[in-house]
């Protein structure tokens, strides 16, 4: 077993300079965007270029990753699990970090602009409810008590954009095992941090049912595919991707995967969840990716890849039917 010396939370709270190689990528990206006049790139497809062109500084922030000295990098990257492949090209790291949904910060995909005040370290994740051994994990424990791997997953937002990204994490069921769920535990709910001082969107959009919550059945939560993720592209999650820990459920629409989670509850009854509560007609609790069931305002038959704008047919269960089909038969 690898001795883990990587401590991404041992960082001062201010942004760090990204690694050399990463800076080069952004530099390259910036020149590329300039040469394209920005329009015509993924940014255009993202609907952002139409409002205002990002400044060079904003472009840099978009890729901001809390980095560590080389000497401390032992669990990032974690070994890649060869069982998972995208079947398409990997999304550019910058494009994924630039276009994010995180309503606590912004409803316009540009959450990277507003995450500065957010402090993902130190952090605690409480697992409680219908279980015999409720527990609170700090980040040290989360990193030391589980075996991390990297998985190449397709990711599909309900808004019909998609990406292919490598997550670093471990199966959620390993965490649930630790608290010994009771037989009365039929559902699992996830809760995002709630701090209006650190997340301006909470104040700016009072119409939403904060805090952000999500949930699924215990059978779904125990499926091999569900990851508790602490990293992306072989590095700790940038704030806008849901640092320091989030859920990834690749066969469901992206909104099911709550970011920056502070609480996991085992429950007897189906939990209230953010999008379903806000608009139950448009956002179902189950929310499995399904090309046959259109969103009331758009088709789900096809999806657009972040960055390239490539279009693909949407696959039932986002292509993961072999893993999860049995849950719904
Ligand atoms: N707390 C919280 N979690 C969230 C969201 C959010 O607004 N707040 N957006 C969801 C949606 S709609 C999607 S598509 C994914 C986006 O993940 P990404 O921005 O890392 O690509 O996060 C999900 N998790
Ligand atoms: Mo989404």
């Amino acid at each position: 077993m690898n001795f883990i010396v990587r401590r991404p939370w041992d960082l001062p709270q201010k942004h760090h300079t990204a690694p050399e190689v990463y800076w080069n990528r952004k530099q390259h990206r910036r020149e590329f965007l300039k040469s394209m006049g920005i329009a015509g790139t993924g940014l255009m497809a993202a609907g952002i270029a139409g409002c205002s062109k990002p400044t060079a500084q904003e472009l840099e922030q978009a890729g901001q990753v809390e980095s560590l000295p080389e000497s401390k990098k032992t669990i990032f990257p974690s070994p890649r699990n060869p069982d998972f492949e995208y079947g398409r090209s990997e999304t550019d790291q910058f494009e994924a970090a630039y276009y994010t949904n995180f309503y606590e910060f912004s409803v316009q995909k540009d959450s990277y602009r507003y995450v500065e005040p957010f402090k993902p370290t130190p952090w605690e994740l409480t697992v409680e409810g219908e279980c015999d051994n409720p527990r609170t994990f700090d980040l040290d424990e989360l990193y030391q008590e589980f075996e991390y791997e990297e998985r190449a997953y397709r990711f599909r937002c309900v808004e019909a954009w998609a990406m292919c990204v490598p997550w670093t994490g471990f199966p959620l069921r390993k965490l649930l095992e630790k608290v010994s769920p009771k037989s009365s535990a039929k559902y699992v709910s996830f809760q995002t941090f709630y701090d209006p001082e650190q997340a301006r969107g909470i104040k700016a959009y009072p119409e939403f049912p904060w805090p952000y919550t999500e949930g699924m059945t215990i059978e779904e939560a125990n499926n091999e595919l569900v990851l508790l993720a602490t990293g992306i592209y072989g590095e700790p999650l940038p704030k806008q991707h849901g640092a320091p820990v989030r859920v990834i459920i690749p066969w469901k629409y992206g909104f099911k995967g709550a970011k920056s989670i502070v609480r996991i509850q085992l429950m007897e009854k189906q939990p209230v969840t953010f999008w379903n509560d806000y608009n139950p007609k448009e956002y179902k609790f189950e929310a499995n990716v399904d090309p046959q069931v259109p969103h009331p305002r758009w088709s789900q038959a096809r999806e657009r890849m972040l960055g390239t704008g490539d279009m693909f047919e949407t696959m039932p269960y986002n292509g993961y039917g072999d893993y999860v089909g049995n849950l719904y038969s």
Side-chain angles (χ1 to χ4, degrees), residues 46-321:
I48 285 171
C51 321
S52 66
K53 291 183 182 182
T55 63
Q57 196 205 350
E58 284 172 341
L59 288 171
E60 269 192 29
Q61 274 176 6
Q64 203 83 51
V65 170
E66 301 208 356
S67 66
L68 275 189
E70 283 303 318
S71 60
K72 289 201 172 178
K73 291 192 174 178
T74 62
I75 74 168
F76 289 101
S78 292
R80 175 75 68 110
N81 183 330
D83 293 347
F84 299 96
E85 284 172 27
Y86 304 123
R88 309 176 182 172
S89 349
E90 184 165 282
T91 300
D92 179 86
Q93 182 178 14
F94 170 91
E95 299 288 355
Y98 186 81
Y99 192 86
T100 59
N101 266 329
F102 205 165
Y103 276 33
E104 283 83 342
F105 297 99
S106 171
V107 297
Q108 295 182 300
K109 323 297 173 195
D110 57 345
S111 44
Y112 71 88
R113 287 184 176 159
Y114 306 105
V115 294
E116 183 73 47
F118 173 40
K119 295 182 174 26
T121 60
W123 195 264
E124 284 188 343
L125 170 60
T126 297
V127 189
E128 61 185 8
E130 301 295 311
C131 63
D132 290 327
N133 305 306
R135 242 189 96 178
T136 294
F137 297 82
D138 63 22
L139 283 179
D140 268 314
E141 294 167 325
L142 265 193
Y143 271 89
Q144 283 163 18
E145 294 186 30
F146 301 93
E147 209 171 304
Y148 284 76
E149 59 183 83
E150 184 173 73
R151 289 199 193 172
Y153 273 174
R154 289 180 298 277
F155 182 101
R156 174 60 153 79
C157 174
V158 72
E159 297 161 332
W161 57 264
M163 61 184 183
C164 289
V165 299
W167 302 104
T168 303
F170 60 88
L172 175 69
R173 76 180 148 74
K174 299 281 186 192
L175 181 79
L176 299 181
E177 275 166 18
K178 296 249 182 195
V179 302
S180 314
K182 295 180 179 163
S183 56
S184 53
K186 307 282 191 234
Y187 292 89
V188 181
S189 94
F190 307 94
Q191 187 184 313
T192 296
F193 80 98
Y194 176 87
D195 185 343
E197 300 311 313
Q198 294 186 43
R200 65 176 279 282
I202 295 173
K203 277 187 197 158
Y205 320 119
E207 65 274 27
F208 287 116
W210 308 108
Y212 196 99
T213 50
E214 258 311 334
M216 57 189 164
T217 67
I218 187 101
E219 289 80 18
E220 291 174 323
N222 280 325
N223 186 274
E224 170 63 22
L225 292 180
V226 182
L227 288 186
L228 207 61
T230 62
I232 186 170
Y233 295 100
E235 299 180 13
L237 288 169
K239 294 178 184 182
Q240 71 267 31
H241 274 310
V245 58
R246 71 177 295 179
V247 190
I248 295 297
I249 312 152
W251 75 95
K252 291 179 181 284
Y253 289 119
F255 70 84
K256 297 298 292 181
K259 294 179 166 180
S260 307
I261 54 177
V262 292
R263 200 147 73 112
I264 297 180
Q265 264 181 294
L266 291 152
M267 303 174 87
E268 218 170 329
K269 300 266 162 57
Q270 181 177 309
V272 171
T273 56
F274 185 88
W275 283 106
N276 183 248
D277 184 25
Y278 180 67
N279 191 339
K281 283 211 183 75
E282 299 193 353
Y283 307 102
K284 302 300 173 197
F285 178 79
E286 189 172 81
N288 293 328
V289 175
D290 188 346
Q292 312 272 23
V293 180
H295 183 279
R297 290 181 282 130
W298 58 83
S299 164
Q300 295 291 24
R302 303 200 317 142
E303 60 200 36
R304 176 179 50 79
M305 301 306 294
L306 289 191
T308 62
D310 289 346
M311 300 295 298
F312 289 93
E313 306 266 306
T314 302
M315 292 179 283
Y317 302 114
N318 202 23
Y320 295 100

